[in-house]
Amino acid sequence: MKALLDPPLELNSDHCSTVSPVVEIKLSNMEIKSFITLEIKIAVSIKSSSNHEAKVVCVRSDCKEGPYTPIPNAYIYNDTVQVQLDSLEPCMYVAVVVRSITMRPNSTVWDHVQRKVTLGLYGPKHIHPTFSIVVAMFGHDCTPKNLLVNEVGRQACSTPPVSLQLWGRHQFVLGYPQDLKVGLYSNMSNYQVKSAEGAGIIQGFQVKLGKVNRLLYRISALDPSSIFDFTLRVQVKDALDCILTQFCVQTPQPPPTATSRNNAARRFLKKKEVDKIVLSPLAVTSKFPKFQDRCITNLKFGKLIKTVLRQHKSTYLLEYKKGDIVALLSEEKIKLRGHMRTKEWYIGYYQGKIGLVHAKNVLVLGKVKPIHWTGPDLTTTLLLEQILKPCKFLTYIYASVRTVLMENVANWKAFADALGYGNLPLQYFCRTELDSEPEKVASVLEKLKEECTNMENKERKSFQRELMMALLKMDCQGLVARLVLDFVLLTTAVEVACRWRELADKLARVSRQQMDAYEAPHRDKNGLLDNESMWKPAYDFLLTWAAQIGDSYRDVIQELHTGLDRMRNPITRKWRHLTGTLILVNCLDTLRSSAFCPSGYGDYAI
């Protein structure tokens, strides 16, 4: 069997439209004594008001171009058509169409059905400084794993077509054949997207004919020396510039090099890359993806081989029973001091709670959910709420937060909606008329701060938690990473205070002269530095130390936690908020890949 994506002209008109690919069936053995049963998925349903106006029919022909005749023995249930093929021939062609029963003037078969079309994003196996990708639109549910594409106008006619791989797909309901504008946007400023001839336009008559529409785009890196995977957003608009649908897809990795690390290499955002992020496909435009509340399925599971009940309870260390099943949110292990020494831990989800489980107490099983799993399933909303617990205990400088948001969030309305302010007008947030978008964003932020610091509000919210939740719902993961790192360094400086010299010695072996140099700008005229101001040199040191590490923000927080654990009477024994923050930054990818990917395609990480 073979699926032919482009149907013959006979099957698509005002009163007939294909809702499946044409299936080519070739028989190598003609000694078959019984019929063949064939099942085909379709992407259409008849409107309840049009049951007597249109009908789903399975048709067959011995020639690809027709003529096609209806098959009487066809059974339709939900989105599947089951048909019995008798009178077998060496080569047969079968398709499913929807037909108008009555031929009314100024009416088409599209008026009587609700049908879906499918978008597929195709690209190379690995990304390069310059490469081509294709957005293909199919009039049915079938999207092949590979797509052969000719780069018209760029290659000679004799050049064979290029095979591209399916990166991701998305289905949406299309009311009628119409002109569509397909836009492609990168979330990294280093990548520039250019459309080929046609400027990303799908003509309405092409949709009506059921042909596969292939739109070619060229992506180039402005800095070829800095190549890493990124996110692409596909957006479909109608002729009036109204958005019909949009979805995001993560690109593959660059090709491995001879000096690349093993398969367990970390895919963390390096600190030097944080400033390059546009912060989502969407932080610089007015269109934001929608946060989806759905079950997280792409997880590994483990069997607990030891019972652990803790004498000293900890918010972020799980208690569990031998033989139970735990879901693992990250394959990356975290280093953390236990009761006596530093151990390696997995981030686990057990009995409705997220926390750390000692790696030696887990037998990793794989991604198939065991039948012995108990407790509620992990959803994106539950994950978001649990990982944000430490945020309200982090210290921040409001002026710095305000500046960062004004620079990076370019849509005050989307920001206000994510904060839960609904459809409130701009006048609710500011009294005067504001011209610039950054000032509008700042006014929304100011309103949030007022509500969170209002002493009369009995159910007072946490400013830090509400801000982080809104940004994550806007898919601004890069911005959250930047703010969390700033909050962690400032909070640690305040918590350590007078003991900052000991921490500096554990982290970087700083000399006494260097420590004196950090404190010098903060001493008064008499050369004194009181205890209440000791956080300032601590903060200066931590900023310098973090910048010199030059690795990912997750590694900065991990190394900071390790340094605090090594201190005498470490503050991390009672001050566990940094542990919670470590869990937060290591769960961001899991949250994002599940909350923003098309439904049913969780393996395509975002």
Side-chain angles (χ1 to χ4, degrees), residues 554-570:
R554 303 182 208 189
D555 285 347
V556 171
I557 298 175
Q558 174 67 84
E559 292 300 319
L560 179 59
H561 203 303
T562 302
L564 290 168
D565 281 344
R566 290 166 54 198
M567 295 174 65
R568 296 185 303 273
N569 298 319

Side-chain angles (χ1 to χ4, degrees), residues 390-515:
C391 288
K392 67 178 183 178
F393 301 104
L394 301 179
T395 306
Y396 64 96
I397 300 175
Y398 178 74
S400 176
V401 175
R402 183 176 183 271
T403 301
V404 171
L405 260 68
M406 290 177 68
E407 292 175 349
N408 294 288
V409 178
N411 188 315
W412 75 269
K413 189 70 174 63
F415 183 44
D417 290 345
L419 287 170
Y421 290 121
N423 295 317
L424 295 173
L426 184 61
Q427 290 74 16
Y428 177 80
F429 305 101
C430 54
R431 297 179 181 177
T432 59
E433 188 71 25
L434 299 177
D435 296 329
S436 68
E437 198 71 21
E439 290 178 346
K440 297 176 183 178
V441 171
S443 66
V444 176
L445 185 69
E446 184 66 31
K447 188 66 177 180
L448 173 65
K449 187 171 185 297
E450 287 178 6
E451 291 188 358
C452 293
T453 56
N454 186 3
M455 300 302 294
E456 297 177 358
N457 188 358
K458 295 181 180 179
E459 298 180 358
R460 197 164 36 153
K461 301 177 182 178
S462 164
F463 172 79
Q464 305 94 304
R465 183 180 179 278
E466 295 298 320
L467 175 61
M468 296 299 180
M469 181 176 291
L471 293 176
L472 288 175
K473 286 185 175 181
M474 294 166 65
D475 194 24
C476 293
Q477 183 187 9
L479 184 51
V480 169
R482 177 175 171 181
L483 290 174
V484 166
L485 185 58
D486 290 345
F487 289 6
V488 163
L489 296 178
L490 178 60
T491 309
T492 304
V494 173
E495 291 292 330
V496 172
C498 299
R499 300 180 62 190
W500 82 270
R501 286 179 174 241
E502 181 186 356
L503 176 62
D505 181 64
K506 298 295 183 183
L507 289 176
R509 297 288 182 182
V510 180
S511 65
R512 187 181 298 274
Q513 291 79 9
Q514 290 173 315
M515 294 180 185

